[in-house]
Amino acid sequence: MKSDTVTKGVQQAPHRSLFNALGYTKEELEKPLVGIVCSYNEIVPGHMNLDKIANAVKMGVAMAGGTPVMFPAIAVCDGIAMGHIGMKYSLVTRDLIADSTEAMALAHQFDALVMIPNCDKNVPGLLMAAARINVPTVFVSGGPMLAGHVKGHKTSLSSMFEAVGSYAAGTMSEEDVTEFENKACPTCGSCSGMYTANSMNCLTEVLGMGLPGNGTIPAVYSERIRLAKHAGMQVMEMYRRNIRPRDIMTQDAILNALTVDMALGCSTNSMLHIPAIAHEIGMDFEIDFANPISEKTPNLCHLAPAGPTYMEDLNEAGGVSAVMKELDKKGLLHTDCMTVTGKTLGENIKDAVNKDPNVIRPIENPYSETGGLAVLKGNLAPDGSVVKRSAVVEEMMVHEGPARVFDCEEDAIDAIKSGKIVAGDVVVIRYEGPKGGPGMREMLNPTSAIAGMGLGSSVALITDGRFSGASRGASIGHVSPEAAVGGPIALVEEGDIIKIDIPNLKLELDVPEDVLARRKEQWTPKQPKVTTGYLARYASLVTSGNRGAVLQIPEGK
């Protein structure tokens, strides 16, 4: 056992004395030590139930012959962090989570791990850590929130943000906003639409790292507790068979995740996290991979914010397994990939049934023949940009209009809410990328303000930052190279015409090349917004959005 390094032999007597101080018995130390990485806290609604999940996991590990040992991982609530300096600290926690989990797991020589994440950066951070540490590992998340109910309709956090925009536009009363406030988020769990947290929890299932149901069983269901017990038991089976994350998270599994992403209509943030996970297994992932997969993968689900269905509906319809079963009808998945069940993906979905074709469209009758995400390129985004195509209204799939240029999110929000943005405009928010932000803030406030002001079908938003999974409309993010390194988005001037052609995957600035060349010569880098602390270190190491914003030591260092 790996843990023999800290539990066996005379040389390890000092180590054992410290385990004695923790109350562990000789019998417990003779069993495999299983690290339970739990993200429980009292500030993230998706994490407030993780203590119960952890207790269930520990029981499962103990029942199956292991010794569970819990330690924490951090998590930021993107909703609470939205729209202020806190959002600079969201994406950057992905690497803190991966790094700290790596440190804890290797410092203490755990034989296996169970990861208990739930929200946006927490899930990919722990997947990255699992690939690095590479001991038998199973994921079990906290599960999604149930949808809210306002005036007879299901609702969610995205509706809450849009309600604020509607209030600013004078189309909603303060009393109506208060009703949304009190009813939009009715239970614990990750927010109830196909936002980033639920996207990544579903894709964890596809990657083979979570048991079937991990992505969709609601947080408040007792079924989630049973799943956690099974996860604890199953990690011991993984340990006995020595099946490790890099045996499961292969290149084929990464491509499966990208395929199911397209069918589900996942958050654009998955195009940051899938490349980062791929990077950890040594796969050279370019976001261009998305387009050929999107071209052959039908979009089968329109969950909020793209449509009127929610995670609880997807769960009742058969969950992620049913979506994969539909895709397998056309041979779109690598079904021979190993999973934490100890079986292949194909074996896992063999008996899956699509129980509601209104939630999961049959593959013969998709919402569209192409997937939910698209990567756009052109002279404005030479290295790519990302749009959630399935959440764009038809009239905005092709659009051109004058650029309204802002060098930070706050200035753009002020302009939108004060009525300075009009139909046809293309809002450009720059210097908000991984380096420029720093931290690549989500832009849910401006996208929600646009929707709430009634401009969702006539105004586009382009940024080198990123969007919340709750964003909808012609919201194009991850523009690379970013403004902070002199990418073309830094050269856009007020009134320049921008052309968006999502079907043909184009994002163009209608300015002559010689003019752009002169602007480039005159461009000078802006002073860093943050010069101390973790954000400054992060900015010095982070790569562009098209590479997953992974950290990389500069050449020559």
Side-chain angles (χ1 to χ4, degrees):
M1 294 189 299
K2 191 181 181 77
S3 60
D4 287 355
T5 309
V6 294
T7 60
K8 301 293 191 298
V10 175
Q11 284 294 114
Q12 278 64 48
H15 303 70
R16 288 195 298 276
S17 72
L18 294 168
F19 279 104
N20 290 340
L22 289 161
Y24 288 101
T25 65
K26 178 182 177 182
E27 292 80 6
E28 285 175 300
L29 297 184
E30 289 173 348
K31 298 175 182 179
L33 296 184
V34 181
I36 313 300
V37 189
C38 181
S39 301
Y40 169 76
N41 61 52
E42 295 181 341
I43 191 63
V44 184
H47 292 228
M48 63 178 286
N49 65 321
L50 296 191
D51 55 340
K52 296 177 176 61
I53 300 294
N55 286 335
V57 168
K58 290 167 71 175
M59 188 177 294
V61 168
M63 285 192 294
T67 297
V69 183
M70 189 167 71
F71 65 89
I74 64 167
V76 164
C77 177
D78 278 19
I80 295 174
M82 194 71 64
H84 56 89
I85 191 173
M87 183 45 66
K88 293 180 185 290
Y89 285 92
S90 173
L91 178 60
V92 306
T93 63
R94 187 186 70 185
D95 295 275
L96 281 175
I97 291 161
D99 293 349
S100 60
T101 303
E102 173 193 355
M104 287 292 287
L106 296 180
H108 301 103
Q109 293 291 286
F110 290 107
D111 298 298
L113 297 166
V114 179
M115 306 292 199
I116 309 176
N118 210 31
C119 289
D120 297 30
K121 313 311 163 302
N122 194 239
V123 183
L126 290 179
L127 284 165
M128 291 161 67
R132 285 185 204 170
I133 301 160
N134 203 36
V135 298
T137 303
V138 176
F139 275 66
V140 56
S141 78
M145 184 184 291
L146 295 179
H149 291 265
V150 178
K151 300 186 189 305
H153 298 284
K154 285 186 177 181
T155 191
S156 61
L157 184 65
S158 54
S159 301
M160 182 69 253
F161 275 88
E162 290 176 13
V164 175
S166 298
Y167 174 75
T171 58
M172 185 177 285
S173 69
E174 188 172 351
E175 289 74 19
D176 287 334
V177 173
T178 300
E179 184 177 6
F180 270 93
E181 178 183 332
N182 289 326
K183 296 181 178 179
C185 299
T187 71
C188 64
S190 47
C191 296
S192 56
M194 187 53 80
Y195 310 145
T196 307
N198 291 325
S199 295
M200 293 310 303
N201 279 320
C202 287
L203 296 184
T204 297
E205 210 176 304
V206 181
L207 284 167
M209 292 299 294
L211 296 174
N214 182 60
T216 60
I217 297 170
V220 295
Y221 283 14
S222 298
E223 186 182 357
R224 174 66 57 179
I225 300 294
R226 297 198 298 273
L227 184 77
K229 291 177 182 175
H230 283 126
M233 289 186 269
Q234 192 58 31
V235 79
M236 296 308 301
E237 178 66 15
M238 294 292 95
Y239 170 75
R240 284 186 279 271
R241 293 178 59 180
N242 195 29
I243 298 175
R244 302 175 182 229
R246 288 184 213 159
D247 301 323
I248 294 171
M249 289 193 286
T250 61
Q251 180 166 322
D252 283 348
I254 293 286
L255 296 177
N256 281 344
L258 196 52
T259 300
V260 177
D261 184 311
M262 296 300 170
L264 284 172
C266 289
S267 163
T268 51
N269 282 315
S270 64
M271 292 304 295
L272 285 173
H273 302 322
I274 294 175
I277 296 161
H279 177 75
E280 296 292 344
I281 66 166
M283 178 182 173
D284 187 15
F285 186 107
E286 284 290 337
I287 60 172
D288 292 38
F289 288 176
N291 287 339
I293 288 179
S294 182
E295 284 304 308
K296 64 181 181 182
T297 306
N299 178 226
L300 305 181
C301 298
H302 268 190
L303 292 126
T309 54
Y310 294 81
M311 294 305 296
E312 62 200 68
D313 303 311
L314 179 60
N315 187 61
E316 293 302 318
V320 178
S321 292
V323 175
M324 291 193 283
K325 187 66 177 284
E326 291 290 347
L327 294 172
D328 192 43
K329 290 178 182 178
K330 288 193 174 181
L332 294 174
L333 297 174
H334 299 279
T335 55
D336 56 349
C337 290
M338 178 53 67
T339 74
V340 293
T341 65
K343 301 176 182 178
T344 65
L345 187 74
E347 290 173 310
N348 286 349
I349 65 174
K350 178 170 60 72
D351 298 323
V353 175
N354 181 355
K355 301 173 184 176
D356 190 343
N358 293 313
V359 176
I360 305 170
R361 288 276 187 96
I363 200 160
E364 302 83 10
N365 180 35
Y367 283 101
S368 66
E369 294 293 341
T370 54
L373 298 181
V375 172
L376 312 184
K377 282 191 169 184
N379 69 346
L380 186 52
D383 293 338
S385 61
V386 181
V387 64
K388 189 170 183 175
R389 174 164 48 187
S390 59
V392 179
V393 294
E394 186 61 35
E395 52 265 43
M396 290 298 290
M397 295 294 280
V398 177
H399 177 78
E400 67 175 77
R404 305 298 308 279
V405 184
F406 304 93
D407 286 353
C408 68
E409 177 187 3
E410 288 83 357
D411 290 349
I413 293 170
D414 288 345
I416 295 164
K417 289 188 174 179
S418 61
K420 294 176 182 176
I421 302 301
V422 298
D425 284 348
V426 178
V427 176
V428 176
I429 305 177
R430 61 191 180 189
Y431 294 100
E432 291 284 9
K435 283 186 181 294
M440 203 178 186
R441 290 194 287 179
E442 287 187 344
M443 302 289 172
L444 181 55
N445 274 349
T447 58
S448 298
I450 287 170
M453 297 286 283
L455 297 170
S457 60
S458 60
V459 168
L461 195 156
I462 295 172
T463 182
D464 53 7
R466 61 194 179 94
F467 296 109
S468 165
S471 294
R472 60 188 176 97
S475 304
I476 301 167
H478 308 196
V479 171
S480 302
E482 62 174 293
V485 298
I489 192 171
L491 310 179
V492 181
E493 294 185 358
E494 187 81 8
D496 286 348
I497 298 299
I498 292 176
K499 296 181 177 181
I500 300 164
D501 187 344
I502 295 173
N504 290 305
L505 310 173
K506 293 290 186 182
L507 181 60
E508 298 281 352
L509 182 60
D510 191 15
V511 173
E513 288 301 314
D514 61 327
V515 174
L516 287 178
R518 285 198 299 274
R519 292 182 187 177
K520 179 68 173 177
E521 288 174 4
Q522 296 165 0
W523 178 81
T524 55
K526 284 185 176 290
Q527 289 297 312
K529 295 176 184 175
V530 179
T531 57
T532 60
Y534 177 58
L535 287 179
R537 296 198 301 276
Y538 179 88
S540 71
L541 299 175
V542 71
T543 59
S544 192
N546 69 300
R547 298 184 57 198
V550 298
L551 301 188
Q552 185 169 298
I553 298 171
E555 290 184 14
K557 296 292 180 71

